Amino acid sequence: MLAAAAVLLAGCGSGGSENTTGPSASASSGSAAPTTDAPQSAVTVRVDNMKFSPSSVTIAVGGTVTWKFSDSAPHAVQGIGDAAMGLNSPIFRDGEWSHTFTTPGTYRYLCPLHPDMRGTVTVQ
């Protein structure tokens, strides 16, 4: 029942990406060099060939990760640890599942059917 509630509460994303170009941060006082790799608002992780690809992603707070499943074996996404409790997808061979991350932190996950398949989402 908890798993079903988590799936219902998990947000679905639109799969768009954000343009990260904009004004230079060099005018800011008291900061080091400007960051050129701002976290994205949407990221796609492919699930095929018995792996998550990429296995580690970084996303902005409020951003969405979409897992796209396409493999001969079934897979799912299941969070590891307290921080990742809301990560709990249905089992897929083909299809996709999304989750919106609203709290900064590091979220570890695995495929519950193939525990050696692991990934990490870092939310900044």
Side-chain angles (χ1 to χ4, degrees):
M1 224 158 108
L2 181 60
V7 170
L8 290 174
L9 293 175
C12 293
S14 64
S17 66
E18 180 178 302
N19 182 352
T20 58
T21 60
S24 171
S26 61
S28 301
S29 63
S31 69
T35 303
T36 57
D37 294 327
Q40 297 178 345
S41 63
V43 174
T44 299
V45 174
R46 299 232 175 254
V47 185
D48 59 5
N49 295 320
M50 298 297 289
K51 64 182 177 182
F52 295 110
S53 182
S55 62
S56 180
V57 298
T58 300
I59 195 158
V61 172
T64 301
V65 176
T66 299
W67 287 266
K68 292 195 175 188
F69 298 84
S70 179
D71 205 349
S72 58
H75 301 290
V77 173
Q78 181 177 6
I80 302 171
D82 293 341
M85 288 293 288
L87 292 175
N88 197 5
S89 78
I91 297 171
F92 289 96
R93 274 204 172 105
D94 290 302
E96 62 182 51
W97 181 76
S98 297
H99 182 80
T100 299
F101 292 84
T102 58
T103 305
T106 300
Y107 299 82
R108 298 177 305 127
Y109 65 91
L110 56 72
C111 172
L113 303 173
H114 308 99
D116 56 322
M117 291 176 58
R118 292 176 178 254
T120 304
V121 177
T122 302
V123 181
Q124 298 178 335

